[in-house]
């Protein structure tokens, strides 16, 4: 394949982005639309999603907002047919929704927090990928992009979250290996500290921020938009020979 500007085009493709209502997910959803994709956005709260869908429609793309809790199997199972019915297919899945409801350290963490983190970050990600991959297999292929974290590579102050994101990295490799035969490529983006609501307790704490900056050669926190280029690359033909890869976007903090 000759690489050209068109290699990055997502024209005619349909994407589904979880956690698409704000932060990194919203930035990626709008970014995919700017490169030509129609986009379904999902999260738990419909009003926030509808604003994003409207923004995408203003770009001239089709977009739908679907409320779903991605940690619940019944909601995952109804999400995929709904997107297929309304937008016709799914070519790109971005598993971006993630949670960390506790700052407890490993000695104190409770089962409830473990379950909530693992249900969304890992179990939901896996079973939504499975449901979408079955559709992609029928369609002749697709791309799955998992939003992991540098915390899944190096342990940080969120212990169970780190474990879940290490699982996301291995899930990426397993799915890439098993689904390549269906022309499904599976890759991950591992963001460093990014300025969103999710991580506000970290970047708004001067002590935590200082430690993070000392570890980060680029000496700043990322903006959500800085994850978009990686997503476009992995969603497009420009990355046609890339699968099972973790693209670290962290200002150099994991060096
Ligand atoms: N920010 C960082 O520093 C950072 C660094 C590395 C990795 N990440 C990862 O990046 C991803 C996006 O995080 P973010 O920083 O952009 O956070 P954010 O701004 O808080 O956005 C989180 C998104 O996930 C949705 N969500 C939360 N729980 C959900 C559930 N149970 N089911 C479906 N959707 C749910 C939220 O919408 P609703 O509330 O409407 O459900 C929202 O759209 C996460 O996987 C996170 O682990 C973030």
């Amino acid at each position: 394949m000759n690489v050209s500007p068109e290699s990055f085009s997502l024209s005619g493709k349909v994407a589904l982005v979880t956690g698409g209502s704000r932060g990194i997910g919203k930035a990626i959803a709008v970014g995919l639309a700017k490169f030509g994709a129609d986009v379904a956005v999902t999260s738990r709260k419909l009003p926030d999603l509808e604003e994003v869908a409207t923004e995408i429609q203003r770009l001239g793309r089709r977009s739908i907002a679907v409320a779903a809790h991605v940690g619940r199997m019944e909601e995952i199972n109804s999400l995929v047919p709904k997107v297929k019915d309304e937008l016709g297919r799914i070519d790109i899945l971005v598993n971006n929704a993630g949670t960390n409801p506790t700052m407890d350290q490993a000695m104190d963490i409770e089962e409830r927090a473990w379950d909530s983190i693992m249900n969304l970050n890992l179990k939901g990600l896996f079973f939504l990928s499975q449901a979408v991959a079955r559709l992609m297999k029928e369609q002749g292929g697709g791309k799955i992009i998992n939003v992991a974290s540098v915390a899944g590579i190096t342990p940080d102050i969120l212990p169970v979250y780190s474990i879940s994101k290490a699982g996301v990295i291995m899930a990426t490799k397993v799915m890439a290996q098993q689904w390549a035969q269906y022309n499904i490529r599976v890759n991950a983006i591992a963001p460093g500290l990014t300025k969103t609501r999710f991580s506000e307790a970290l970047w708004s704490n001067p002590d935590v921020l200082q430690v993070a900056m000392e570890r980060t050669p680029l000496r700043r926190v990322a903006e959500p938009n800085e994850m978009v280029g990686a997503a476009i690359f992995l969603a497009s033909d420009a990355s046609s020979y890339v699968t099972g890869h973790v693209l670290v976007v962290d200002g150099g903090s994991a060096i």
Side-chain angles (χ1 to χ4, degrees):
M1 191 190 75
N2 289 325
V3 178
S4 65
E6 286 68 48
S7 309
F8 291 87
S9 169
L10 303 175
S11 188
K13 305 292 183 193
V14 174
L16 167 60
V17 181
T18 73
S21 62
R22 60 174 190 264
I24 294 170
K26 177 182 174 184
I28 290 176
V30 173
L32 295 174
K34 284 183 179 164
F35 277 71
D38 296 327
V39 185
V41 282
T42 187
S43 78
R44 292 163 301 176
K45 297 178 199 104
L46 198 54
D48 298 349
L49 290 169
E50 281 171 342
E51 280 181 28
V52 178
T54 302
E55 191 175 331
I56 292 171
Q57 287 158 4
R58 283 203 199 102
L59 294 167
R61 307 267 78 86
R62 293 185 300 157
S63 184
I64 59 166
V66 187
H69 186 308
V70 177
R72 296 188 184 141
M73 289 299 286
E74 66 281 10
E75 297 191 31
I76 290 175
N77 289 334
S78 60
L79 172 62
V80 177
K82 174 133 181 101
V83 177
K84 183 176 182 258
D85 285 352
E86 299 216 15
L87 295 179
R89 52 191 292 118
I90 303 175
D91 303 288
I92 300 156
L93 168 64
V94 182
N95 282 308
N96 163 79
T99 192
N100 179 72
T102 177
M103 297 300 282
D104 282 353
Q105 296 302 288
M107 200 58 89
D108 302 313
I109 203 131
E110 292 178 356
E111 183 185 9
R112 203 182 138 100
W114 173 280
D115 286 346
S116 133
I117 295 167
M118 290 298 175
N119 269 345
L120 178 62
N121 296 11
L122 200 49
K123 180 180 169 188
L125 175 141
F126 180 80
F127 283 104
L128 179 59
S129 299
Q130 183 195 63
V132 172
R134 287 174 177 162
L135 178 61
M136 288 174 169
K137 180 183 168 195
E138 279 172 28
Q139 292 171 181
K143 291 107 187 169
I144 297 176
I145 301 167
N146 296 323
V147 178
S149 169
V150 284
I153 300 168
T154 310
D156 73 3
I157 59 169
L158 310 175
V160 178
Y161 176 78
S162 280
I163 297 168
S164 75
K165 293 296 186 176
V168 169
I169 289 171
M170 184 50 71
T172 301
K173 294 179 184 185
V174 168
M175 294 189 284
Q177 188 189 50
Q178 299 215 346
W179 298 342
Q181 62 185 309
Y182 309 121
N183 192 30
I184 299 169
R185 293 194 288 108
V186 188
N187 291 289
I189 298 171
L193 188 57
T194 306
K195 212 164 188 179
T196 67
R197 193 187 302 175
F198 167 81
S199 57
E200 192 166 355
L202 304 179
W203 52 260
S204 66
N205 177 326
D207 297 334
V208 177
L209 186 63
Q210 192 185 338
V211 173
M213 290 308 90
E214 280 163 11
R215 274 208 222 134
T216 306
L218 289 184
R219 294 279 181 269
R220 61 181 178 81
V221 177
E223 294 295 332
N225 276 333
E226 295 185 279
M227 305 301 142
V228 176
I232 302 296
F233 171 64
L234 294 174
S236 69
D237 288 344
S239 60
S240 56
Y241 202 54
V242 181
T243 198
H245 184 68
V246 181
L247 212 170
V248 178
V249 187
D250 71 335
S253 70
I255 292 171

